[in-house]
Amino acid sequence: MASVHSEGRTRVLEYGDLTVRATPESSGVRTEIEVANTYERDATYSVQISIADGEGWTAYNRFWLQDVPPGKTGRDDALIGSKEMGPVPQVPKIYVDDFTPLVDRE
């Protein structure tokens, strides 16, 4: 079950081992992801996140967190969207389109 809350201007979505933070900037939405590896082996994560305003502005990015060791947290960030798409959402809606862990099978 996902939970969403605000930390100042940042919207935070917590979804199991995944945490997504979306902060509006002048040129897009700064999106940071963190994934805790709860497996006993290295894991690679494919994560696609969409950011929207609920009124037609939608942008997405696919993140690859490679070879996250067991018990560690993988992190990445990207600027999603652009001001050319229209006004940047000030209260971004966060969607997890895909969250696929790929665990070594040694």
Side-chain angles (χ1 to χ4, degrees):
M1 184 80 182
S3 76
V4 179
H5 64 276
S6 292
E7 295 175 356
R9 294 185 41 208
T10 301
R11 296 291 288 167
V12 180
L13 177 139
E14 294 175 345
Y15 180 74
D17 299 331
L18 172 67
T19 302
V20 182
R21 288 181 170 78
T23 306
E25 295 184 355
S26 61
S27 56
V29 178
R30 173 68 52 196
T31 306
E32 303 170 24
I33 69 166
E34 295 182 352
V35 179
N37 181 0
T38 58
Y39 296 99
E40 294 179 2
R41 299 182 182 275
D42 286 0
T44 295
Y45 297 88
S46 171
V47 183
Q48 183 170 307
I49 302 296
S50 291
I51 302 295
D53 67 357
E55 299 173 10
W57 191 105
T58 303
Y60 67 91
N61 192 62
R62 179 168 300 276
F63 297 89
W64 285 93
L65 300 175
Q66 295 184 304
D67 300 324
V68 179
K72 300 293 182 185
T73 300
R75 294 176 174 81
D76 198 3
D77 71 280
L79 189 65
I80 297 181
S82 67
K83 59 185 173 185
E84 287 77 26
M85 296 172 58
V88 173
Q90 296 305 300
V91 182
K93 297 182 184 311
I94 304 168
Y95 300 95
V96 178
D97 301 324
D98 179 49
F99 178 65
T100 305
L102 307 165
V103 181
D104 292 339
R105 296 179 184 256
E106 296 176 352

